[in-house]
Amino acid sequence: MIKAAILGHGTVGSGVYEVFEMNAEKIARTVGEPVEVKYVLDLRDFSHLPYGHKFVNDFSVIENDPEVSVVCEVMGGVRAAYDFTKRCLLAGKSVCTSNKELVASKGDELLRIAEAHNVNYLFEASVGGGIPIIRPMIQCLAANEFNQICGILNGTTNYILTQMIKNGVAFEDALGQAQVNGYAEADPTADIEGHDACRKICILSDLAFGDKFDPEAVSCEGISRITLRDVECADRLGCVIKLIGRAVRCADGTAYAFVAPHLVPKESPLAAVEDVFNAIMVEGNATGDVMFYGKGAGKLATASAVCADMLDCIAHREHRRRISWGDGSQKLLRPLDTFVSPWYVRYQGPRAALEAALPCESVREVGGELAASVSALSTADLKARIAKLEGHVISNMRML
């Protein structure tokens, strides 16, 4: 019998235990023998649960038990999660996680430790919850060079924008609805300011391009400044607003990576992705565009992905998965100032001045203001041209 441990008994941790109990027979058939969760690490008191006797609050119990061969880390954050993950790997135990912050910031180091000790560090659930994306990239699409990754990577912001677009709900009210429905935390900063999506696009960039993309260095813009007027302007231009994470490979092997709200044409598949759903488009030089779609979070969906990684570790005890990327020394991240894209500009002032400053393709009047779609310009060029309009530009966003 295989023995496992779970670090953390929050939403995902309790879901992992539930999946192992619910699907015990299927899991045993999959790996060839039963799998038992021997320990659950949490400082809180869960003695009332039927499996309350399995709880421990001393990590060293798990670390020093030779029976435990695979560990699930779903604590969140970096400090304790990093320490415990590293110690598990050094002790010869494979670790699986949904902790996107840890993978994005320390994944390169943890993968090297895993390789040195012939164990696995797997993290399918760190991007897209239950949506398969990591494994397809490293297996099914492994023969491709990746040209671009582009996606809706955060369900909370997508829910808020859907409420604004479909129901005319103002941002603050839509955020409140998301919190009431359990889609947003009491402190929603990581979601609405784009940090969650940034960690995810960094992980996907690491895998796609082979070197570390530091979340601290990647440009990150959220949705907190988007108004219903922007939503209306986007509609008049045939678009909807989505928070998009993008990674774009250049001919010399460097890449752009960033998170920002975009105007997405209504005919794009991404425009139809609503509520808490995520969608990730991956462009390979052999496959072309491939799209992965589904709920990007949720207790059992995320737990399912973690459990699948744990079963993969068990199945590959003698031959670890080859996953790695560099430490960032290749410096692949390009400055966003040179990235060229079309733009949306919302402006209040003389139309002649707007068209003189910017190469406008389409201009619409919306409530006494002008909404313009602008031909492709670099980020730096757009900023310089906007400066000439002397503060009359109310907002601007990229167009996909």
Side-chain angles (χ1 to χ4, degrees):
M1 178 178 285
I2 302 295
K3 305 287 187 179
I6 300 171
L7 308 183
H9 194 261
T11 300
V12 179
S14 60
V16 169
Y17 192 92
E18 185 175 340
V19 170
F20 272 114
E21 289 289 294
M22 179 172 60
N23 296 331
E25 292 185 8
K26 168 67 186 307
I27 288 169
R29 290 198 304 272
T30 299
V31 298
E33 58 184 308
V35 179
E36 178 195 358
V37 176
K38 186 173 181 179
Y39 303 111
V40 181
L41 178 74
D42 204 292
L43 296 178
R44 294 168 294 175
D45 180 16
F46 289 98
S47 58
H48 62 283
L49 295 177
Y51 54 97
H53 61 286
K54 296 188 176 185
F55 280 81
V56 295
N57 54 27
D58 181 358
F59 168 73
S60 64
V61 173
I62 296 170
E63 180 183 22
N64 296 321
D65 189 334
E67 284 193 335
V68 175
S69 60
V70 60
V71 175
C72 153
E73 183 276 300
V74 284
M75 301 168 62
V78 171
R79 294 183 63 184
Y82 166 68
D83 180 41
F84 292 168
T85 297
K86 184 175 180 179
R87 287 163 63 181
C88 282
L89 296 172
L90 291 170
K93 305 177 192 299
S94 291
V95 179
C96 306
T97 186
S98 61
N99 189 339
K100 64 194 75 71
E101 185 176 4
L102 180 60
V103 177
S105 61
K106 300 288 187 180
D108 58 317
E109 177 189 350
L110 295 171
L111 285 165
R112 286 195 298 272
I113 294 171
E115 181 178 13
H117 290 80
N118 198 35
V119 292
N120 284 291
Y121 182 55
L122 301 181
F123 41 88
E124 179 66 65
S126 66
V127 179
I131 304 171
I133 179 63
I134 305 294
R135 193 170 280 104
M137 284 182 65
I138 64 176
Q139 294 182 34
C140 309
L141 301 175
N144 285 259
E145 288 282 4
F146 296 106
N147 294 326
Q148 182 169 191
I149 301 166
C150 176
I152 297 167
L153 301 172
N154 182 271
T156 300
T157 51
N158 204 46
Y159 172 85
I160 292 169
L161 290 171
T162 300
Q163 292 301 306
M164 295 175 73
I165 294 164
K166 292 291 186 181
N167 301 319
V169 180
F171 171 80
E172 291 294 344
D173 294 330
L175 171 58
Q177 289 181 15
Q179 290 171 319
V180 168
N181 290 328
Y183 301 144
E185 302 289 341
D187 179 359
T189 304
D191 291 322
I192 64 173
E193 298 303 340
H195 305 312
D196 176 81
C198 183
R199 293 160 187 155
K200 293 172 182 176
I201 199 63
C202 286
I203 294 169
L204 295 176
S205 300
D206 297 340
L207 288 167
F209 309 128
D211 199 24
K212 180 178 180 178
F213 284 68
D214 186 349
E216 297 297 322
V218 169
S219 176
C220 179
E221 181 184 349
I223 66 168
S224 58
R225 289 181 290 184
I226 294 172
T227 67
L228 288 176
R229 178 56 56 83
D230 289 314
V231 170
E232 184 182 3
C233 290
D235 181 64
R236 293 287 297 275
L237 293 170
C239 299
V240 295
I241 300 174
K242 298 290 183 183
L243 183 67
I244 301 291
R246 295 179 73 180
V248 181
R249 183 176 181 272
C250 301
D252 63 359
T254 60
Y256 297 100
F258 62 96
V259 173
H262 285 61
L263 266 67
V264 179
K266 291 180 181 179
E267 60 269 22
S268 167
L270 291 177
V273 179
E274 297 179 344
D275 294 321
V276 295
F277 283 80
N278 286 191
I280 307 164
M281 297 185 73
V282 178
E283 181 191 340
N285 66 344
T287 60
D289 285 333
V290 181
M291 183 165 165
F292 301 85
Y293 169 83
K295 282 191 175 181
K299 177 179 179 176
L300 292 182
T302 305
S304 169
V306 176
C307 291
D309 273 350
M310 295 174 77
L311 300 187
D312 201 10
C313 289
I314 293 167
H316 292 84
R317 281 170 288 181
E318 306 303 324
H319 183 69
R320 66 178 297 277
R321 288 287 186 196
R322 294 184 179 275
I323 308 173
S324 64
W325 55 75
D327 60 3
S329 58
Q330 296 181 54
K331 301 189 182 303
L332 298 183
L333 181 64
R334 290 177 69 103
L336 197 57
D337 276 356
T338 59
F339 184 70
V340 175
S341 65
W343 294 86
Y344 149 79
V345 171
R346 181 174 149 217
Y347 169 84
Q348 190 167 43
R351 179 168 180 156
L354 175 68
E355 293 179 332
L358 295 167
C360 299
E361 293 186 349
S362 175
V363 181
R364 300 281 188 272
E365 184 185 350
V366 183
E369 299 172 355
L370 297 177
S373 59
V374 177
S375 298
L377 297 170
S378 71
T379 309
D381 192 5
L382 180 87
K383 289 179 180 177
R385 290 167 181 259
I386 283 177
K388 295 177 181 178
L389 291 169
E390 299 177 342
H392 294 289
V393 170
I394 301 167
S395 63
N396 62 271
M397 287 178 248
R398 298 181 190 276
M399 299 185 75
L400 193 62

